[in-house]
Amino acid sequence: MSTGQPMNHRNRLLVLAAAVAVLAVVATASVLHAAGRADRKDQAQAGGPPIAAGHVSLAASAERLMVFRNMAWGPHRDELSTVPAAAPDGPRTASGVKCLRFYAAAGTGICLQAVHGAVQDTYRAVVLDSRLHELRRFPLGGIPTRARVSPSGRMVSWTVFVSGDSYAGTAFSTRTSIVDTRTWQLASSLESYAITREGHAYRAADVNFWGVTFADDTRFYATLATGGKTYLVQGDAAAHTVRTLRENVECPSLSPDGTRLVFKKRVKGLSPDAPWRLYALDLHTMRETPLAEHRSVDDQVVWSDAHTVVYSLAGDYGSDLWTVPADGTGTARRIMTAALAPAYVGG
Amino acid sequence: MYVADSRGATAARDALRPGPRRTAAIAPTVFALGAVSLITDISSEMITAVLPLYLVAGLGLSPLGFGLLDGVYNGFSAVVRLVGGHLADRRGRHKSVAVVGYGLSAVCKPLLLLVHTLPLIGAVLAVDRTGKGLRTAPRDAMISLASAPATHGRAFGVHRAMDTAGALLGPLVAFVILRQAAEGYDAVFTVSTCVAVMGVLVLLLFVPGRQATARGAATTGDRASLRAALALLKRRDLRRLAICALLLGLATVSDSFVYLVLQHRFDVPVQWFALLPLGTAAAFLTLTVPLGRLADRLGRWRVFLGGHVALLAAYGLLLTPWHFGALPYAVLALHGTFYAATDGVLMAAASATVPAALRSSGLALVQTGQAAARFACSLAFGAAWTAWGDHTALTATAIALMVCVGATAWLRPVEAAV
């Protein structure tokens, strides 16, 4: 360090110049390498699922389809695409509409997308009609994660991650919004709802909501986090209220008949890397059943029918879709590679 | 002796003399340390800017719960700062401790390429903060030891301005890289590593080592033992200064609360929320040098108090029932003014009350006291917000700040500084 004979000014500048040259080469090479990789992702991979541009509709049709974000490399990467629900590994039809997260029900779609700006990316939520035409757009204050539509297609919800203060890079929070597509009235944050926690009115600055799932156009379930705990809440979008039902329930997803929730639960004793397991909760008996997926799932599952759920896990191209029965039986099975954010339409 | 040293000494002699030559150049060491901070901040703010995106979009993780570690980090970094301050004084090894601190943070950047889970990323960031905690006090001690007492305000102002410039450039560099290479987080981390290494190199090559500080220590004859460091608190002027910094810190809510209240009260569109800290930083950047000079001329405690009056005004604007378009800008400008009038100025004031041999420990003591007080204030503010809502919580804080400003004005801790 500062021991030994000090260098003179010229030598110090020479050392600095040499170091800058080396570091600049390393830095440039890493950027070029990453840029090259990004370009390769625009080329279709051999052996990937066949995909072609075509007509994509969210409207009811004879055939039941699965709509999802295609993550396979090639010109249609990140586009909303469809496959027949009965043959999820079959040829894909790409729509040309890019979304990071997506969900659809009864002809209404919600697409959370990135807008690439000159110096920064921004995000927006776009409500789509059944022909994927934009009905309304809302600016988002953070990175999108969850999206849901009520069974009738009227109510739409989404969640984003917000990081506020640039000097404390580790503090994150979520913001969850609900919009009524009939009146276009927007509840920009569920934090403005009146909270009843364990029977008492509750207010706190550290309240966070995420992962809404709708029962109908008024009633919904979601996750509430406060004071270091997470709760399952039942909400009323008309009265602007939520009340807690149970602890340690995240990202609930309601079954088509409205009687059960599948959710991710933080299980004690698991590695903090992979803390979650999927559980089913019977809303009448409040009994929990672990599902037969033994890996940590950080997703809000989608019900593919009355007995089965679909969810994403990391895969070679970012994300693959897996399925498991919702009653704890059977085994987990991969149904699609390079896909994310599925929704079932038509049929 | 280094060329830089002798020039610094000349500048110091000139600066002691009253008259027009008083505004002589800033010591080269201060510029060198400013450059180190600027480069290092580019590196670390590059990471900070892309981290949320990397976690959510790159790794598919939910970063929630990450924030829970924040309090732990803050407490830990305060302790580390005291340790760094003490180690730096022990054998006049300011530069060595600073090199370890900057080096530790530089090593963390390539580690981010290797770790892919939240707990490990959290651990890497904790080590990064340890480095930051270690280096802060010795760096500030070097700034003060390299400049004449009468120019301390300006020296710290120049350093803080360079530091903030780096913080503003970092995110820009990161987004230019992501523009070139979509999802090129590894490229961001690699470039950040290269930049951090350059910061350490500039420190090694252009900041003079032991001689400069040893010289300062020799003149005072104080021994830098742990006992001597604690005995600093027996010094009336330093104790008063620390108490005032603590008192005022107790009425200073954390930045994120200011932005949250601002967003709450004035319905700032959500997509602008992430940009609010830039407003504060811009005001800080433009004002920190002029206010540092003003502190040298008017007295540091006046400017320091003035800064808190600016903060009080910001609270007042947040509480006001009227709405006008420029109001959020005014709040951010006042918030930045508060930092410009207090951050470096407090260090300049503290430098005048601590003997050279214990400079690093003394500065760490004041910084840690202030940080602890601000942390306590944030906890209390969060609780008050929960219980009574943001308006009442902020009103209570504003009243507390008014009382503390009054008490500080009465104690006049650092009048004799100039």
Side-chain angles (χ1 to χ4, degrees):
Chain A
M1 281 169 212
S2 56
T3 50
Q5 206 56 21
M7 279 184 271
N8 67 36
H9 203 65
R10 202 178 68 98
N11 284 352
R12 276 183 274 163
L13 281 175
L14 277 176
V15 171
L16 184 70
V20 167
V22 172
L23 293 171
V25 168
V26 174
T28 310
S30 77
V31 175
L32 290 178
H33 172 76
R37 188 187 52 212
D39 288 343
R40 272 200 310 285
K41 286 187 180 176
D42 291 336
Q43 316 290 321
Q45 286 297 105
I51 183 159
H55 176 69
V56 168
S57 164
L58 304 179
S61 61
E63 192 186 19
R64 192 155 185 261
L65 297 171
M66 190 186 198
V67 191
F68 59 96
R69 170 183 166 193
N70 169 51
M71 298 190 75
W73 291 5
H76 302 294
R77 196 160 60 100
D78 298 334
E79 288 180 18
L80 285 185
S81 306
T82 54
V83 287
D89 51 359
R92 303 178 175 188
T93 308
S95 67
V97 176
K98 287 193 177 192
C99 305
L100 297 173
R101 300 287 172 148
F102 175 77
Y103 194 74
T108 303
I110 174 66
C111 168
L112 307 182
Q113 50 186 211
V115 187
H116 301 296
V119 283
Q120 206 181 329
D121 284 353
T122 54
Y123 303 93
R124 66 184 175 214
V126 183
V127 179
L128 302 170
D129 69 9
S130 64
R131 292 180 304 164
L132 298 186
H133 289 159
E134 176 179 326
L135 291 173
R136 200 62 76 111
R137 65 169 70 173
F138 302 90
L140 299 179
I143 302 159
T145 122
R146 308 284 176 228
R148 277 298 185 268
V149 180
S150 68
S152 74
R154 174 176 169 179
M155 307 298 282
V156 172
S157 174
W158 59 79
T159 301
V160 299
F161 283 112
V162 184
S163 67
D165 181 4
S166 77
Y167 275 91
T170 54
F172 290 90
S173 61
T174 59
R175 184 173 287 129
T176 295
S177 311
I178 292 181
V179 67
D180 181 339
T181 62
R182 198 170 295 168
T183 61
W184 293 113
Q185 202 162 52
L186 172 74
S188 63
S189 171
L190 290 190
E191 287 162 38
S192 63
Y193 279 31
I195 302 168
T196 307
R197 187 179 68 162
E198 283 151 12
H200 301 282
Y202 180 78
R203 261 197 309 177
D206 71 345
V207 162
N208 278 299
F209 284 97
W210 65 89
V212 163
T213 183
F214 289 100
D216 52 42
D217 292 342
T218 321
R219 257 179 342 118
F220 65 88
Y221 297 89
T223 317
L224 156 70
T226 185
K229 289 182 179 171
T230 59
Y231 300 88
L232 171 68
V233 293
Q234 190 182 63
D236 185 321
H240 287 206
T241 56
V242 296
R243 63 186 176 88
T244 61
L245 297 180
R246 196 178 178 81
E247 247 184 67
N248 197 6
V249 171
E250 291 181 57
C251 293
S253 181
L254 193 64
S255 63
D257 65 1
T259 61
R260 284 159 298 155
L261 291 170
V262 166
F263 63 97
K264 56 183 229 219
K265 173 178 176 169
R266 208 174 268 274
V267 176
K268 273 211 184 80
L270 292 183
S271 135
D273 289 3
W276 292 293
R277 291 292 181 270
L278 290 182
Y279 276 73
L281 174 71
D282 185 308
L283 287 168
H284 295 304
T285 62
M286 281 292 176
R287 185 172 302 157
E288 284 180 6
T289 313
L291 301 196
E293 168 59 78
H294 303 297
R295 289 165 293 180
S296 182
V297 175
D298 182 6
D299 195 13
Q300 185 173 23
V301 306
V302 166
W303 291 75
S304 55
D305 57 43
H307 313 286
T308 321
V309 293
V310 174
Y311 49 90
S312 72
L313 281 169
D316 291 343
Y317 299 95
S319 163
D320 295 338
L321 294 181
W322 292 71
T323 185
V324 77
D327 59 3
T329 64
T331 48
R333 190 165 62 80
R334 183 165 68 185
I335 54 166
M336 283 176 90
T337 55
L340 182 70
Y344 289 86
V345 301
Chain B
M1 189 181 275
Y2 292 162
V3 181
D5 274 355
S6 56
R7 265 205 285 158
T10 323
R13 264 200 312 280
D14 288 349
L16 282 174
R17 229 177 277 142
R21 295 205 61 185
R22 229 177 85 132
T23 50
I26 292 289
T29 300
V30 174
F31 279 117
L33 285 168
V36 173
S37 290
L38 188 152
I39 295 167
T40 304
D41 258 32
I42 292 179
S43 164
S44 56
E45 291 299 316
M46 279 174 74
I47 305 279
T48 306
V50 303
L51 195 65
L53 197 60
Y54 173 63
L55 293 177
V56 182
L59 297 181
L61 302 172
S62 303
L64 275 180
F66 220 39
L68 295 179
L69 291 171
D70 229 38
V72 182
Y73 285 170
N74 280 328
F76 186 59
S77 115
V79 175
V80 166
R81 194 174 289 200
L82 287 174
V83 172
H86 174 65
L87 287 178
D89 279 338
R90 259 175 75 167
R91 275 177 276 148
R93 288 195 156 270
H94 295 92
K95 183 175 167 181
S96 304
V97 176
V99 168
V100 172
Y102 281 103
L104 216 51
S105 294
V107 167
C108 287
K109 270 75 189 191
L111 285 182
L112 285 174
L113 285 166
L114 305 176
V115 297
H116 296 105
T117 61
L118 266 190
L120 285 178
I121 292 169
V124 170
L125 293 180
V127 175
D128 184 274
R129 297 224 179 165
T130 304
K132 193 178 168 63
L134 273 180
R135 71 195 180 227
T136 304
R139 181 203 63 205
D140 281 350
M142 284 191 281
I143 293 171
S144 75
L145 291 170
S147 4
T151 63
H152 276 167
R154 241 179 89 195
F156 279 107
V158 166
H159 173 266
R160 298 302 198 255
M162 292 176 81
D163 184 274
T164 307
L168 288 172
L169 280 173
L172 220 60
V173 175
F175 282 109
V176 167
I177 293 171
L178 289 185
R179 219 21 5 100
Q180 296 305 309
E183 292 163 53
Y185 304 105
D186 52 343
V188 173
F189 296 154
T190 308
V191 173
S192 169
T193 305
C194 294
V195 175
V197 169
M198 209 160 84
V200 176
L201 263 179
V202 171
L203 173 64
L204 281 170
L205 290 169
F206 295 96
V207 175
R210 199 128 60 125
Q211 282 131 309
T213 43
R215 189 187 52 204
T219 54
T220 58
D222 283 298
R223 298 293 299 277
S225 66
L226 204 57
R227 224 159 114 203
L230 286 175
L232 278 174
L233 284 177
K234 288 194 191 134
R235 299 174 72 102
R236 188 161 160 271
D237 44 359
L238 182 68
R239 194 172 60 230
R240 277 197 173 185
L241 182 79
I243 288 172
C244 287
L246 207 99
L247 270 180
L248 291 163
L250 282 173
T252 307
V253 302
S254 84
D255 297 1
S256 16
F257 277 127
V258 170
Y259 304 135
L260 277 175
V261 176
L262 189 64
Q263 207 235 342
H264 232 219
R265 302 264 310 138
F266 302 109
D267 282 330
V268 174
V270 285
Q271 68 272 34
W272 297 114
F273 184 70
L275 298 180
L276 294 180
L278 291 186
T280 300
F284 180 86
L285 180 66
T286 42
L287 291 175
T288 184
V289 175
L291 287 177
R293 294 178 69 153
L294 197 67
D296 287 338
R297 210 166 315 145
L298 285 184
R300 277 121 200 184
W301 75 274
R302 283 202 184 105
V303 173
F304 188 69
L305 263 189
H308 284 87
V309 172
L311 182 64
L312 197 56
Y315 290 173
L317 286 184
L318 285 172
L319 291 168
T320 177
W322 351 295
H323 285 228
F324 52 93
L327 211 136
Y329 298 98
V331 171
L332 291 177
L334 285 167
H335 193 231
T337 308
F338 157 67
Y339 276 115
T342 55
D343 189 31
V345 172
L346 178 65
M347 287 301 100
S351 296
T353 66
V354 186
L358 292 168
R359 189 62 52 87
S360 196
S361 312
L363 296 188
L365 216 58
V366 174
Q367 285 168 348
T368 298
Q370 188 189 40
R374 284 183 179 173
F375 186 54
C377 175
S378 286
L379 289 182
F381 188 81
W385 186 338
T386 300
W388 305 307
D390 60 345
H391 196 266
T392 313
L394 196 63
T395 308
T397 315
I399 291 168
L401 183 58
M402 230 181 304
V403 172
C404 293
V405 166
T408 310
W410 177 68
L411 276 171
R412 294 185 170 208
V414 286
E415 197 178 15
V418 190

